[in-house]
Amino acid sequence: MNFTFPTTNSSNNTIGFIGLGNMGSAMAAHLCNAGYTVLAWARNSSTFEALAHLPIKPQHNIEALCTATRLIALNVTNTADVQSLLFRDGGIAQHAQPGSIIVDFSTIDAAAVAEIARQLKSRDIDYIDCPVSGGAAGARAATLSMMAGGDLAAFQHIEPMLKHLGKTIRHVGPSGAGQAIKAANQMALCIQLVGIAEAMNYALEQGAELSVVLELLQAGLPASRVLDWAGPHMVKGFTDPVSIEAHLHAKDVRMVADAALKQGLHLPLLFKTAELLDELVAEGPKSQDTSRIFEVVRKHMRT
């Protein structure tokens, strides 16, 4: 399929988007529906072929995207991806217009954010670290939770745009604060998930019926949204569609664990959770639900 690359004048209603995966494409679709002109750049034209039903305007390169708008959104996989897009030859920092705002929805290393923001500010570019929680389902439903760190005035400038993408939107402090809270979110979620898997396996080992275990846990103090999501998967044997892909949680938790080690922090529950998630991803299919950590925990019960 051939695409026409238009010339677009910058305006407050134009946003550049890089990172049109499952979440990014859903977010871009909401912005299109809200009346934004969405420009995008991707390494492969196949990205745009899959999104041909959306009025996204593909750009030849990063320079063209930066020339056309002062608001650029990123939603990529890891810290190295963000740093490359920003600072490589031909990257965003080289071509972004003074006064631009970059809002980064990626989940990356909180310790790296302050330096990213400092380098961009020296070029008169504001950087808002704005990781999101809610997964692809939340992106499709526009119910994401957003935790934004960085300059308050820059955040307030983009807040109306963010309201088309999420329900819980907070400015949480200086650069890096958003990523720190997202890290805490992933820690609490995944550590709790391992605890549920261990408790369910223990009860099963004693002869209890898993469906009954789940019902009574949900009726008591252990009740939680994590239990409501993961418990049914564990009871049914992982026959339901994948809700959250394990490799995404494994990536986030490993990143936080490695950063904690570099800081000299002792977080034993986090470190063990990272090990178990690494094992799950290494041994299972690429697309599998994180709740299958139940099987990894069971394997280790008698070792």
Side-chain angles (χ1 to χ4, degrees):
M1 183 179 296
N2 295 320
F3 292 93
T4 300
F5 292 83
T7 300
T8 306
N9 294 324
S10 176
S11 74
N12 291 333
N13 212 39
T14 300
I15 182 169
F17 214 108
I18 300 177
L20 296 171
N22 288 336
M23 292 188 66
S25 59
M27 296 164 81
H30 289 306
L31 294 175
C32 289
N33 292 335
Y36 283 81
T37 298
V38 179
L39 317 177
W41 175 82
R43 291 184 179 90
N44 302 310
S45 62
S46 60
T47 297
F48 298 114
E49 292 173 9
L51 300 175
H53 60 290
L54 297 176
I56 293 172
K57 300 180 183 297
Q59 303 296 292
H60 281 298
N61 50 37
I62 288 175
E63 180 179 5
L65 184 145
C66 292
T67 300
T69 182
R70 287 186 172 87
L71 176 57
I72 300 165
L74 307 179
N75 196 342
V76 295
T77 303
N78 55 45
T79 308
D81 290 334
V82 171
Q83 291 170 326
S84 176
L85 285 168
L86 292 174
F87 300 119
R88 72 187 187 205
D89 185 36
I92 295 169
Q94 182 178 339
H95 294 296
Q97 303 173 64
S100 292
I101 299 174
I102 298 170
V103 55
D104 188 359
F105 298 121
S106 316
T107 297
I108 64 172
D109 184 0
V113 169
E115 179 59 19
I116 289 173
R118 186 196 67 77
Q119 290 188 51
L120 291 172
K121 194 65 176 178
S122 71
R123 299 170 182 257
D124 193 22
I125 302 166
D126 278 303
Y127 176 80
I128 302 295
D129 58 294
C130 188
V132 300
S133 178
R140 290 190 295 270
T143 57
L144 293 168
S145 295
M146 300 181 157
M147 47 222 86
D151 181 78
L152 178 59
F155 166 78
Q156 290 172 334
H157 185 79
I158 66 171
E159 189 175 12
M161 179 271 291
L162 298 178
K163 289 181 178 179
H164 296 293
L165 306 175
K167 280 195 170 179
T168 303
I169 303 165
R170 298 285 186 274
H171 181 264
V172 294
S175 295
Q179 295 295 347
I181 294 176
K182 178 61 184 291
N185 180 87
Q186 301 301 74
M187 289 172 65
L189 187 162
C190 292
I191 290 171
Q192 184 179 353
L193 178 59
V194 171
I196 290 168
E198 192 165 279
M200 297 276 278
N201 269 301
Y202 173 80
L204 181 63
E205 189 72 13
Q206 310 311 310
E209 178 66 40
L210 277 185
S211 60
V212 177
V213 177
L214 175 60
E215 178 186 352
L216 293 176
L217 290 179
Q218 288 175 316
L221 202 56
S224 70
R225 292 172 66 183
V226 177
L227 179 63
D228 290 343
W229 151 59
H233 284 283
M234 296 177 185
V235 170
K236 295 176 184 178
F238 314 102
T239 56
D240 288 343
V242 173
S243 53
I244 303 179
E245 292 189 356
H247 69 93
L248 297 175
H249 277 149
K251 182 267 294 184
D252 291 351
V253 172
R254 172 51 60 194
M255 177 182 66
V256 179
D258 289 346
L261 285 170
K262 289 178 182 177
Q263 293 176 290
L265 301 178
H266 182 57
L267 301 171
L269 296 179
L270 173 65
F271 298 155
K272 187 60 182 179
T273 298
E275 290 177 12
L276 293 170
L277 286 171
D278 286 346
E279 183 177 344
L280 173 64
V281 171
E283 295 184 356
K286 178 171 176 55
S287 179
Q288 59 177 320
D289 200 274
T290 312
S291 61
R292 292 190 81 141
I293 199 71
F294 176 89
E295 296 173 325
V296 178
V297 169
R298 183 157 190 82
K299 183 177 74 174
H300 289 292
M301 282 187 68
R302 294 189 177 276
T303 59

